[in-house]
Every structure is written in structure tokens, then in C-alpha cells.
């Protein structure tokens, strides 16, 4: 792999690991120092590799340089002498020299600890996602800004405020205890859910970035279910949901990036291995008597991996949506339910339910009404599709809706 490709790849995969380990070792107060050390490590890699070539084991090289830079920093900065040296002496009894542990186990422990740290209640939901993307996934400020469709300065300030709040609250970066898991697991799962959704439903046209965000959310979720304390039914249910959704990723857009409606997707592009994984983790999630929105959404996603348009499928999906609305009502969930309702009870019943929602600024809502009215009142369908185009944000969404308009015009 060429240096121009390798270094950005390693930055994405290794930056987050080394930052997490440094923060885990020295605490949230030194988060900027950790980021500076790791950034400097990659700067050294860029300069050295351009002159001497890529080393035989680039990752091991980065880890060695990061360890040396950490030791040099600690030797030459007063903050180490004043605040950390005594504590390290107590912990190691006689040895004041620190070796940065970059073993797989310690990296995973560090990232799990960081996950529960950034999901402390003092940090807003938006900031938690931004921190997760930045610290746990290795995304840069510009990439996060692109994902949120906002300015770089906005994301920079959001990250800075979030870090300051964690410091002010004295949040410790440590392995989550049972009490912390009970208090924060729901927030951690929500953050991972939103993180995955940011990639899966992103309005960004950058397919690579979207896939990377989804993969990172799945990786972090897998850390949860790999730890005995956090290997709980809701975490398994969320992972199953991610597997089912990710299995259809390649079928959701055509070669031009235009979204492909579920009914038009090519089943051959679905990832069967991910579907099998989803089934496995959904079964694991079924142990005990816990029922969360992740269980229900995963079950809905499971039925969507059956392409055949059978009554049993849509009846099951409708009943699951009914349970989901009782558990946690949302107009968007109610809107999604109407598609299953049309399949089971007919379009007229679905239209009546959909029109009660009045989601007047949502292009998906008007697109749904357009589809429901098609074949019943094509003029109304056309009107709704045109309204949907007005509210659609991306060119890809507008193109998909325009295809529906063209079909109506031809007919």
C-alpha cells in the first residue's frame, strides 16, 4: 500500500486506539495532550516514511514511536512531575518509568472505558456522537462536520465544550462498574444507535464515509457484547439490528448513488453472512425477560431480510410496529408502520392513518403518501411527490422521487 493511502488508513484505525490508551492511563484532564502526542506520532511517520520508506510493520512502528513520545513528554513536562509522578510511584511501587500498554486487551479496555466516559449525562446527545466519532472512531473535525452538514467551527466548539464539561465534572476514565453500567448503558446504546443511524441514513453522498461510520458503530457495539459485564440483552439486540441493516447496505443505492426503495432492491446484493450474524445475536438478546426498542426494531429488520411479499411477513412487521409504538411512541415510527399497514389492510386504511400524522416538513412523509395514493388517485400522488421533492435535501433523494413522478407521468 502506498504511503499516501496507508497513513490515512492507519490514522483512522490506530489514532483512536492510542488516544484511548493514553486517556485511560492519564485521565480526562490530559485528553488534549493525548491527542497531541498521537498527532505528532503520525507527523513523524509522514516525514520519516517519505524519506526512508514504509517500515515492515507500520502499526508496530507507530506504537513504538507513540510510546517513546509519551515517555519524552512525561520526562520534560512539569505536569507529570507535579501531578502524575507520585501517583505512578504508588501504583508501581518502585518503578517510575511508564510503558504504554498497547496490547489488544488494553486497547479494548481503554475504548470501553472511554465509551462510558463520553456518555456521561453532563454531555449532550449531539456532543456524545461527535466525541464518539472523534475519539473512538478517528474521524477528523471536517469529516464530522460533513456528516452533520454543519461548519467545521461548530464541530470544533462542540467537541471543546464537551471535553471541558467532562473535566469540570471530574469524570474518571475507568472500567465501568455495575452501577455505571446501570446508569449509562442506555445512553451508551443510544449513542451507538444514533452513530449507526448517522451513517446508515446519512444525507451525505459520501458512501465510503457512511459505511465507515456504520462499521465503527458496530465495532464499538461488539466491544460491549465481548465484555461479560456489558454483554446484556439490549446490547445484543442493537448489534443484531445493525447486522440486519448493514446486510442490505450495498442494495440501498444504485451506481449513481440514488436511493433504491426496499421493494426494488436486488436481493443478490444482500450480505447473507451479516443476516446470519443478526439472527445469532437476536437469539442471544432473547434470553431473559428484557424487551427494548432494539429487540423490536431488530425483529422488524429481520423480517425485512425476507424478500418474498407474503402476508405472514407483513402481519408480523405490523404487530412489531404496534408493540414499538406502545413502548416508545414516535411519529416517524408511526409513519414507517403505515407501509406495513398498507400491505396488510390495504392502501385506503394506511392513507387514513398516515394523514393523521401531519408531518408537514418531512420529504419521506410526502413520498410515502405519494406511493400510497398511486393507483388510487394519481393526481394526489403526483402532488405529494412534488411536495416531497421540495422538502428533499440531497440530489439523490430528489432523483429517487423524480423517478416516481416519471412513472406516474408515463402511466
Amino acid at each position: 500500500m502506498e504511503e499516501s493511502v496507508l497513513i490515512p488508513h492507519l490514522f483512522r484505525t490506530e489514532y483512536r486506539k492510542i488516544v484511548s490508551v493514553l486517556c485511560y492511563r492519564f485521565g480526562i484532564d490530559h485528553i488534549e495532550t493525548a491527542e497531541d502526542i498521537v498527532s505528532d506520532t503520525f507527523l513523524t511517520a509522514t516525514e520519516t516514511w517519505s524519506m526512508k520508506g514504509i517500515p515492515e510493520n507500520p502499526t508496530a512502528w507507530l506504537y513504538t514511536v507513540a510510546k517513546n513520545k509519551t515517555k519524552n513528554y512525561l520526562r520534560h513536562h512539569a505536569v507529570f512531575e507535579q501531578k502524575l509522578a507520585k501517583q505512578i510511584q504508588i501504583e508501581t511501587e518502585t518503578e517510575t518509568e511508564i510503558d504504554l500498554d498497547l496490547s489488544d486487551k488494553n486497547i479494548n479496555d481503554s475504548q470501553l472505558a472511554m465509551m462510558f466516559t463520553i456518555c456521561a449525562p453532563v454531555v449532550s446527545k449531539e456532543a456524545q456522537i461527535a466525541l464518539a466519532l472523534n475519539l473512538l472512531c478517528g474521524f477528523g473535525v471536517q469529516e464530522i462536520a460533513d456528516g452533520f452538514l454543519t461548519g467545521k467551527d461548530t464541530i470544533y466548539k462542540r467537541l471543546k465544550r464537551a471535553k471541558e464539561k467532562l473535566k469540570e465534572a471530574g469524570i474518571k476514565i475507568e472500567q465501568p462498574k455495575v452501577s455505571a453500567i446501570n446508569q449509562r448503558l442506555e445512553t451508551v446504546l443510544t449513542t451507538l444507535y444514533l452513530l449507526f443511524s448517522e451513517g446508515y441514513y446519512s444525507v451525505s453522498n459520501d458512501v465510503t464515509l457512511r459505511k465507515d461510520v456504520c462499521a465503527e458503530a458496530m465495532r464499538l457495539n461488539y466491544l460491549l457484547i465481548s465484555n461479560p459485564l456489558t454483554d446484556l440483552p439490549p446490547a445484543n439486540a442493537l448489534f443484531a439490528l445493525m447486522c440486519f441493516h448493514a446486510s442490505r447496505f450495498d442494495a440501498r443505492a444504485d451506481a449513481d448513488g440514488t436511493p433504491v426503495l426496499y421493494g426494488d432492491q436486488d436481493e443478490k446484493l444482500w450480505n447473507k453472512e451479516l443476516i446470519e450474524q443478526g439472527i445469532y445475536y437476536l437469539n442471544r438478546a432473547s434470553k431473559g425477560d428484557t424487551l427494548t426498542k432494539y429487540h423490536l426494531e431488530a425483529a422488524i429488520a429481520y423480517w425485512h431480510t425476507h424478500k418474498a411479499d407474503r402476508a405472514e411477513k407483513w402481519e408480523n412487521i405490523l404487530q412489531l410496529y404496534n408493540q414499538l409504538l406502545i413502548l416508545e411512541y414516535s411519529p416517524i415510527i408511526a409513519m414507517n408502520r403505515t407501509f406495513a399497514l398498507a400491505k396488510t389492510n390495504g392502501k385506503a386504511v394506511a392513507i387514513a392513518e398516515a394523514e393523521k400524522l401531519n408531518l408537514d416538513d418531512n420529504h419521506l412523509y410526502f413520498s410515502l403518501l405519494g406511493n400510497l395514493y398511486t393507483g388510487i388517485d394519481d393526481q394526489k400522488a403526483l402532488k405529494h411527490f412534488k411536495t416531497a421533492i421540495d422538502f428533499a435535501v440531497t440530489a439523490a433523494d430528489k432523483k429517487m422521487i423524480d423517478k416516481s413522478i416519471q412513472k406516474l407521468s408515463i402511466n
Side-chain angles (χ1 to χ4, degrees):
M1 192 181 289
E2 293 182 5
E3 179 194 334
S4 61
V5 177
L6 179 61
I7 288 183
H9 169 73
L10 288 173
F11 190 88
R12 172 63 49 80
T13 59
E14 305 306 322
Y15 175 91
R16 66 197 184 206
K17 297 177 184 177
I18 309 172
V19 166
S20 291
V21 168
L22 283 167
C23 290
Y24 186 42
R25 188 66 183 85
F26 300 120
I28 200 71
D29 285 344
H30 306 289
I31 192 168
E32 286 86 0
T33 299
E35 292 175 301
D36 288 344
I37 288 171
V38 184
S39 295
D40 193 40
T41 296
F42 276 91
L43 179 61
T44 301
T46 303
E47 294 171 347
T48 305
W49 296 358
S50 63
M51 291 186 293
K52 298 183 178 180
I54 298 169
E56 187 176 337
N57 189 333
T59 301
W61 189 98
L62 286 171
Y63 286 5
T64 299
V65 171
K67 289 177 183 181
N68 291 335
K69 287 187 180 293
T70 301
K71 290 175 183 177
N72 288 337
Y73 180 88
L74 295 175
R75 259 190 227 111
H76 296 100
H77 284 74
V79 67
F80 172 61
E81 295 297 333
Q82 295 168 5
K83 296 183 179 180
L84 297 174
K86 289 182 181 179
Q87 182 60 35
I88 291 165
Q89 266 190 313
I90 292 168
E91 291 176 2
T92 60
E93 294 185 353
T94 57
E95 189 179 341
T96 56
E97 185 74 12
I98 295 176
D99 185 36
L100 197 62
D101 182 0
L102 287 165
S103 64
D104 287 344
K105 182 183 183 305
N106 197 52
I107 287 171
N108 288 343
D109 287 347
S110 301
Q111 292 218 297
L112 186 66
M114 284 291 285
M115 213 185 306
F116 277 83
T117 299
I118 66 174
C119 288
V122 296
V123 179
S124 70
K125 288 281 189 295
E126 279 188 333
Q128 286 169 356
I129 297 170
L131 281 173
L133 285 167
N134 183 230
L135 297 176
L136 295 174
C137 305
F139 287 96
V141 173
Q142 186 62 61
E143 288 177 302
I144 299 169
D146 291 342
F148 279 105
L149 292 181
T150 188
K152 187 176 177 180
D153 288 344
T154 301
I155 296 300
Y156 178 79
K157 289 174 184 176
R158 187 177 299 170
L159 290 169
K160 186 177 180 181
R161 280 196 301 269
K163 291 171 187 176
E164 286 171 354
K165 285 185 177 180
L166 289 171
K167 290 177 186 178
E168 289 166 5
I171 304 295
K172 290 184 178 180
I173 304 175
E174 58 187 1
Q175 285 304 295
K177 297 179 176 65
V178 174
S179 58
I181 292 169
N182 290 338
Q183 290 171 0
R184 295 187 203 168
L185 182 62
E186 186 177 343
T187 304
V188 169
L189 293 177
T190 299
T191 299
L192 296 183
Y193 177 82
L194 294 172
L195 186 59
F196 185 88
S197 297
E198 184 62 38
Y200 196 72
Y201 299 107
S202 175
V203 294
S204 166
N205 287 324
D206 187 339
V207 176
T208 302
L209 176 61
R210 288 164 54 204
K211 283 188 175 180
D212 284 352
V213 173
C214 290
E216 286 301 310
M218 294 181 76
R219 181 183 66 83
L220 294 172
N221 197 342
Y222 192 76
L223 283 181
L224 289 178
I225 58 181
S226 299
N227 184 295
L229 288 178
T230 52
D231 183 22
L232 299 169
N236 280 274
L238 178 56
F239 193 72
L241 171 62
M242 291 181 181
C243 287
F244 290 136
H245 278 328
S247 73
R248 295 193 290 110
F249 207 121
D250 290 339
R252 292 178 67 245
D254 64 18
D256 297 327
T258 304
V260 177
L261 292 172
Y262 173 72
D264 298 328
Q265 289 178 11
D266 183 354
E267 189 180 357
K268 293 192 292 294
L269 295 176
W270 294 357
N271 187 315
K272 300 297 189 290
E273 185 180 342
L274 279 172
I275 292 171
E276 290 301 317
Q277 283 189 27
I279 293 169
Y280 171 75
Y281 286 103
L282 185 55
N283 285 332
R284 281 184 58 174
S286 301
K287 296 174 182 176
D289 56 1
T290 304
L291 181 67
T292 66
K293 70 173 186 176
Y294 305 120
H295 287 81
L296 296 169
E297 288 193 33
I300 291 168
Y302 161 74
W303 279 106
H304 277 88
T305 63
H306 296 65
K307 190 66 188 288
D309 206 13
R310 294 175 182 158
E312 178 197 14
K313 166 184 166 178
W314 293 110
E315 186 58 43
N316 274 287
I317 290 174
L318 180 61
Q319 293 308 317
L320 288 163
Y321 269 123
N322 290 342
Q323 290 182 67
L324 188 56
L325 285 170
I326 292 169
L327 188 67
E328 186 174 313
Y329 179 82
S330 155
I332 301 301
I333 294 171
M335 178 182 72
N336 292 336
R337 171 184 173 272
T338 58
F339 187 79
L341 189 63
K343 290 287 188 179
T344 56
N345 292 36
K347 283 188 171 185
V349 174
I351 288 170
E353 287 295 308
E355 289 182 337
K356 293 176 185 176
L357 297 173
N358 292 321
L359 299 175
D360 293 337
D361 58 353
N362 188 311
H363 78 279
L364 294 173
Y365 173 65
F366 288 106
S367 185
L368 170 69
L369 286 173
N371 280 299
L372 292 176
Y373 269 109
T374 298
I376 293 177
D377 186 334
D378 286 350
Q379 287 305 309
K380 274 194 175 181
L382 195 61
K383 180 183 175 184
H384 285 306
F385 280 132
K386 287 180 177 178
T387 305
I389 278 191
D390 291 338
F391 282 110
V393 176
T394 69
D397 282 335
K398 289 178 185 292
K399 188 175 178 181
M400 179 182 69
I401 298 163
D402 189 56
K403 279 186 178 181
S404 298
I405 292 174
Q406 296 307 318
K407 282 181 185 178
L408 273 177
S409 301
I410 292 170
N411 295 334

